[in-house]
Amino acid sequence: MPIIVNLDVMMAKRKMSSGELAERVGITPVNLSVLKTGKARAIRFTTLEAICQALDCQPGDILEYQKEESTP
């Protein structure tokens, strides 16, 4: 998948645990884990906004587009 989730990186930079972030954002630790592992199929803008607010970052700090290499 060409969208990379760098949530772990931002959490480490802010020294914040998964449990603390889940509580601040208002989502379950399981749903946060799904986001962190990149297995989520979608994210609500309200959730993304809450994550950015809790981590004091921009959406681009968390989500990254990586172009897929084409096979010949």
Side-chain angles (χ1 to χ4, degrees), residues 6-62:
N6 295 314
L7 194 50
D8 280 341
V9 174
M10 287 307 300
M11 289 172 57
K13 286 182 179 180
R14 301 298 190 251
K15 295 181 173 80
M16 190 176 296
S17 69
S18 294
E20 183 181 354
L21 181 60
E23 187 176 317
R24 286 187 183 195
V25 172
I27 61 175
T28 66
V30 172
N31 283 341
L32 182 61
S33 177
V34 170
L35 286 172
K36 283 176 34 180
T37 58
K39 294 180 181 176
R41 305 283 294 162
I43 183 170
R44 292 180 187 266
F45 282 151
T46 53
T47 303
L48 182 59
E49 179 183 0
I51 290 171
C52 289
Q53 187 174 31
L55 293 174
D56 189 27
C57 66
Q58 295 293 315
D61 296 328
I62 298 170

